[in-house]
Amino acid sequence: MRTINQRFKSLGFQVGIASQVFVRDISPRTSLVVEGKREKGYSTYRYAFYKITYYPKGSYEKVYMENASPKRVLKRVTSFMHFLEGVSS
C-alpha cells in the first residue's frame, strides 16, 4: 500500500511537510494546496484542500474541502486533477 506522500507525489504535488502539506503549482500565480492537521476525536490527520491565487495587491483563496479524511481528500484531489487535465487538453 502506498503512503499518502507517495500518492500526492504521483499527482504532481511537492511534499512540504510529510503527511501534512502538499503543494502543486498550476500556473505562475496559482497553487493547489492540501494541508493536514490533527483534530481532537480523529485518529488520522484531517485535511483541507484549496486553491490560492496571488495578485499584486493580495491573494484569493477558493476552499474545496475542509476537515476531510485522507481517503476523501485524495479522491477529491484526484478528481480535480483529472478535470484540469481534461480542460488543458
Side-chain angles (χ1 to χ4, degrees), residues 37-79:
K37 65 180 178 177
R38 291 277 183 201
E39 290 284 338
K40 188 175 182 177
Y42 294 100
S43 61
T44 61
Y45 282 100
R46 304 304 287 179
Y47 291 92
F49 170 45
Y50 60 93
K51 177 175 71 175
I52 188 161
T53 304
Y54 298 98
Y55 297 104
K57 294 185 179 183
S59 62
Y60 172 74
E61 199 173 290
K62 167 76 173 165
V63 178
Y64 295 107
M65 293 187 93
E66 289 183 307
N67 198 29
S69 68
K71 185 177 181 178
R72 278 191 60 221
V73 79
L74 273 165
K75 186 175 181 179
R76 178 67 173 100
V77 171
T78 301
S79 173

